[in-house]
Amino acid sequence: MGQAPDSLRDPSNASHAPRLIDRFRTAIRSRHYSQRTEKTYWFWIRYFIFHNNKRHPADMGAPEVTAFLSWLATDRNVAAATQNQALAALLFLYKAVLERDLPWFDDLLRAKRPVRLPVVLSEAEVRKLLEQLDGVTWMMASLLYGAGLHLQECLMLRVKDVDFAYRQILVRNGKGAKDRVTMLPEGAVQPLQAHLGKVRTLHRRDLAEGYGEVWLPHALSRKYPRAGYEWGWQFLFPSKNRSADPESGVIRRHHLYPDTMSRAVKRATRAAGIIKPVSCHTLRHSFASHLLQAGYDIRTVQELLGHSDVSTTMIYTHVLNKGAACASEPGAGAPLGGDVTAEARDTTAGPIRRVRQLRGRTYRLSLQALLRPTQSSPLDSSGGTGPLVARDVTAIYGASVSHLS
């Protein structure tokens, strides 16, 4: 497959109309879509144009779109999610860019996406995986597992987003452009503080050499011209090398390249002898599953993961065999080697529900109100009695008190 030139023009008004790519960028950026969405949509639009012998999309319609989507499914054998992604890009092209009201789009059939169970590691497997990592990759993996972050959310963390006092991380502009608060793993606190010392030394060196400015979202760099040089705005995991911004050309130090972490996890998986198909996202799946194993209610896990719908979080109950088929056997298949009694669940979920009712005030659960004896976590270096992700869930609820009644 080749690449369509950026100079594709509307043949009906070629001498005056802006280029298709310029119209596309204006439409998608005015709606504040992410850069990754912009890149993906343009890829499918160029693919569609080249598939139809470089004809302009304005000269095509329902037959070409339907044939292209069918070709993807039959000849290219793409997954249902990929086919729907291509359809979403073409919908945006015709409705938002070309501004054509095409009722036939409503009649297009979307491929049914099959339900897939996520890959989940046991605590022993997580421990073996982390033992094969060191330095920055170990800290990032600790946050992916101990805080339930997406890889991109971890990479985009700024220094100011980590609150050591409250043991929490503020995720800004996460998936779906949503902010949320999640826990800071206790076992990663001291290594992360030492890492920040090295990052600060690197930042001071950049400032001394005439650099030190970091990329800021939207128009913050115009509103606060010096904010990009401030320590709090620096990336938590900066790249080793400075590079030119692809849009402005300014030399900056961006965050670590995503593939660096992905390759490190793959190498660690092979070295640990884990046969499951592990990726960075597997650590997030394991975070959610281990919280449910510890007895936390699904609404709390939903908030920590940032899911809009609890049905998305429900998939982890199937992973743990806690669906409807096991509803009548509360003691069977207990996690972490112990039985989950009704009393244990009440002492865990009850306070969490009460904390949710107190949201907005300066209340926080005491650790004793949440914990029940379990095995220690791979990230629990303090020798505590509960899993790290379970103990640190209290960090999202504000200032601490020792009572709820």
Side-chain angles (χ1 to χ4, degrees), residues 373-390:
T374 56
Q375 299 175 1
S376 60
S377 163
L379 296 182
D380 188 4
S381 60
S382 60
T385 58
L388 175 72
V389 291

Side-chain angles (χ1 to χ4, degrees), residues 262-337:
S262 300
R263 289 193 292 263
V265 170
K266 290 296 183 182
R267 289 194 299 267
T269 302
R270 290 192 295 267
I274 301 174
I275 61 174
K276 296 177 181 177
V278 178
S279 66
C280 293
H281 206 67
T282 304
L283 295 173
R284 175 176 159 93
H285 293 321
S286 303
F287 164 83
S289 300
H290 295 170
L291 274 182
L292 292 175
Q293 283 179 331
Y296 287 89
D297 69 286
I298 199 166
R299 292 291 183 179
T300 301
V301 179
Q302 176 194 357
E303 292 178 6
L304 291 174
L305 294 176
H307 290 161
S308 300
D309 195 336
V310 72
S311 62
T312 308
T313 319
M314 283 291 292
I315 193 170
Y316 298 108
T317 64
H318 298 290
V319 173
L320 299 173
N321 288 326
K322 287 188 177 181
C326 298
S328 60
E329 302 179 19
L336 305 180

